[in-house]
Amino acid sequence: MQRCVVKYFGQLSCRKRMLPSDGLDPYSALITGQRHASLLSFATVDPVEVSGSHPGQMYNLVQGKWQGTSKWVELLDPLNGEKFIRVPDTSNSENQLFVKSSQSCPKSGLHNPLRNSERYLLYGDICAKAGYALKQPEVETFFTRLIQRVSPKSYAQALGEVTVTQKFLENFSGDQVRFLARSFAVPGNHAGQQSTGLRWPYGPVAIITPFNFPLEIPVLQVLGALFMGNKPLLKVDSKVSLVMEQFLRLLHECGMPLTDVDFINSDGPVMNNLLLQAEPAMTLFTGSSKVAEKLALDLKGRIKLEDAGFDWKILGPDVQNEDYVAWVCDQDAYACSGQKCSAQSILFMHENWKKVGFKEKLKELAARRKLEDLTVGPVLTVTTEHMLEHINKLMDIPGALLAYGGKPLDGHNIPKVYGAMEPTAVFVPLKEMLKSKENFALATTEIFGPFQILTEYKDEDLPLVLEACERMHAHLTAAVVSNDVLFLQQVLSNTVNGTTYAGIRARTTGAPQNHWFGPAGDPRGAGIGTPEAIKLVWSCHREIIHDVGPIPKDWKIPQCT
């Protein structure tokens, strides 16, 4: 099937649609290497063709030029272990171009409300073009398959990431970028005096993003930084950074100046050293709490964090729509193989749910997941051995038992450096969990894979549930599954998680473009996607007080005070 698409960026492009209806399921399309389309005009790789026999080649972007490095890293294909992408391995000596580029941006930014204000309109136009391009089936499927290729997840999950990104671009088309910089004025004490509050950029900034959402997180944060006038230096986890490299090339075709964003591939120590040398005015970090705390110290607090989340869900006493609630729990815990910072980490079930066989429903839903369609797949940051070791430690807690799963996946070629585990749940009695600091720390250790803790409570145990929520350290997402208004009030008024769903349809996962997503309870907490998040993270408040007179004609020098 051929389709001609007139692109905003002035080219007529005919492409074969790269959709599942071509006759291959998404997993088969990935592993067979069948080529579905000629490269799009901006693309330098084919997401289906890239493999050990046709490795992808990546580059850094600095000072407006794509360039390589003296050394390269060859990434292992998470599905079969072949070396399938060559990534620049930037050294400390090669950092200097990035330092110089970052420091070339003034503290007042690339634009601000008083200078280069036409750039607000430029980015509204870029978003309109990129949003239109990403909505075309060829481009949409290109990025969906590319996400699957480097961070294997189901086609639906990868497509959802592309859709959120596309909607975000539509949201900030036209005049919406300049509306982010809306100011306010307050009358002064006398004629000619007026104070004006402005949203002001930081200037040179840095962005570090993880592997699990290789398109959505870096695109939303990079563009948010650019909207407000900053010059970002972007570091995406090298395992998946190919996705963002390709999207930057698309943005360039849509009119983004080549020099607006620098893009680096390096290991952690090299990036840390670069930050210490470049001294960005603000750094956005999305990733593990351990690295976040180190960066907070190294950068002297000039940082915003969207770090790990041990995310809880509470099922209230009003049992209803059991099949729907069970399905949402399965999605929250195991979609993307549990590799979401918003994944359901612990499920508090009121005893009433036991009466309808809720745990059995969870087990049945988890058993449907299989490697063939990537509804369960490689775990990129936790090995199988580590997950098995964690399960064994949990089983030492009195009353703990394996609810389901607990076995490695079989019949695959996933490299041992990655994990491959069945969807797993371990039941831990609530009172035993709270009995000691050691038990609680173990039960609330985040495992970034297809794993969750189950526990139960009675009406009189709700204070213990709230105590558990209070003792947790990461407060990103949460869900209170109940339509009991008084129950909701009691739980919501005594918890803090920054993105909390409430009601019978409540979930823990989902970071769409239409509401705030971020932690609460930490002054360093960052949000993503909404106007409020962009203004909070990527601008600061500046007050300018105009006082132009006139000075009264009868004014005289007063006595000194």
Side-chain angles (χ1 to χ4, degrees), residues 147-269:
I147 290 168
Q148 281 191 293
R149 198 68 192 87
V150 297
S151 181
K153 58 181 80 172
S154 72
Y155 192 89
Q157 287 289 318
L159 177 60
E161 186 176 343
V162 176
T163 301
V164 167
T165 304
Q166 193 275 330
K167 291 295 184 184
F168 171 86
L169 293 166
E170 288 185 340
N171 286 350
F172 290 97
S173 299
D175 289 321
Q176 297 306 311
V177 173
R178 67 166 146 197
F179 289 162
L180 291 170
R182 191 190 304 271
S183 61
F184 64 86
V186 177
N189 294 331
H190 48 254
Q193 187 185 73
Q194 184 182 68
S195 60
T196 304
L198 303 168
R199 298 311 304 177
W200 210 255
Y202 291 104
V205 299
I207 299 170
I208 304 172
T209 64
F211 74 93
N212 54 333
F213 286 90
L215 182 70
E216 180 182 341
I217 294 176
V219 170
L220 270 59
Q221 294 293 16
V222 163
L223 285 174
L226 289 164
F227 293 164
M228 302 311 294
N230 303 288
K231 177 181 172 65
L233 165 62
L234 174 63
K235 165 74 171 74
V236 181
D237 188 317
S238 294
K239 291 190 291 292
V240 301
S241 56
L242 178 61
V243 177
M244 193 58 193
E245 186 207 74
Q246 298 300 296
F247 195 81
L248 286 173
R249 294 179 186 274
L250 172 60
L251 289 178
H252 294 151
E253 285 214 17
C254 293
M256 185 177 81
L258 279 163
T259 54
D260 275 12
V261 178
D262 291 330
F263 175 67
I264 186 172
N265 292 276
S266 72
D267 63 20

Side-chain angles (χ1 to χ4, degrees), residues 40 48 76 139 223 237 265 283 307 309 330 422 461 489 533:
L40 299 167
V48 177
L76 297 183
V139 182
L223 285 174
D237 188 317
N265 292 276
T283 295
D307 54 352
D330 178 75
E422 292 180 350
D461 296 328
Q489 175 66 17

Side-chain angles (χ1 to χ4, degrees), residues 252-527:
H252 294 151
E253 285 214 17
C254 293
M256 185 177 81
L258 279 163
T259 54
D260 275 12
V261 178
D262 291 330
F263 175 67
I264 186 172
N265 292 276
S266 72
D267 63 20
V270 169
M271 184 63 191
N272 194 90
N273 186 54
L274 171 56
L275 292 174
L276 295 177
Q277 292 184 65
E279 296 184 312
M282 212 285 290
T283 295
L284 180 282
F285 176 79
T286 305
S288 75
S289 295
K290 182 178 179 180
V291 176
E293 295 300 334
K294 181 185 187 314
L295 286 175
L297 291 174
D298 289 348
L299 301 177
K300 301 176 183 177
R302 298 189 304 272
I303 194 168
K304 288 288 186 181
L305 304 176
E306 199 264 274
D307 54 352
F310 189 85
D311 307 301
W312 51 260
K313 179 183 285 183
I314 300 172
L315 304 186
D318 50 324
V319 178
Q320 55 189 297
N321 304 107
E322 305 95 280
D323 288 342
Y324 179 84
V325 173
W327 172 75
V328 174
C329 286
D330 178 75
Q331 287 292 108
D332 281 346
Y334 304 126
C336 298
S337 300
Q339 297 171 104
K340 296 183 180 183
C341 54
S342 57
Q344 178 179 301
S345 304
I346 186 168
L347 180 63
F348 297 93
M349 301 175 290
H350 190 278
E351 63 175 346
N352 290 348
W353 292 86
K354 183 177 181 180
K355 300 173 184 177
V356 298
F358 193 75
K359 282 193 289 185
E360 289 71 26
K361 292 180 183 292
L362 294 179
K363 182 177 180 180
E364 291 172 4
L365 289 168
R368 300 188 309 166
R369 296 184 173 275
K370 53 187 182 294
L371 185 59
E372 286 74 17
D373 60 6
L374 295 178
T375 49
V376 68
V379 178
L380 299 191
T381 57
V382 187
T383 64
T384 304
E385 290 73 19
H386 182 80
M387 287 185 276
L388 291 171
E389 180 183 349
H390 184 66
I391 292 169
N392 290 333
K393 289 180 180 178
L394 286 167
M395 299 301 286
D396 290 334
I397 298 176
L401 57 88
L402 182 66
Y404 53 83
K407 298 178 182 178
L409 296 176
D410 54 20
H412 62 79
N413 295 309
I414 296 171
K416 289 186 177 181
V417 293
Y418 301 134
M421 196 78 179
E422 292 180 350
T424 298
V426 174
F427 179 87
V428 179
L430 179 59
K431 292 181 181 179
E432 291 294 336
M433 184 191 310
L434 295 170
K435 186 172 287 185
S436 70
K437 290 183 178 179
E438 292 76 17
N439 284 359
F440 189 77
L442 182 61
T444 57
T445 297
E446 183 184 23
I447 298 296
F448 214 56
F451 179 86
Q452 65 172 323
I453 296 291
L454 305 179
T455 193
E456 292 178 353
Y457 71 100
K458 300 179 180 180
D459 286 339
E460 60 268 26
D461 296 328
L462 183 57
L464 297 179
V465 175
L466 296 176
E467 178 189 340
C469 296
E470 180 74 15
R471 286 168 61 176
M472 295 176 196
H473 295 293
H475 303 293
L476 182 55
T477 70
V480 190
V481 182
S482 174
N483 281 347
D484 182 328
V485 176
L486 295 179
F487 181 83
L488 289 174
Q489 175 66 17
Q490 187 172 4
V491 175
L492 294 174
S493 64
N494 286 283
T495 52
V496 69
N497 294 47
T499 304
T500 303
Y501 288 85
I504 201 63
R505 300 186 66 168
R507 56 182 178 165
T508 64
T509 61
Q513 71 294 335
N514 63 307
H515 68 65
W516 165 278
F517 183 87
D522 187 337
R524 305 166 300 177

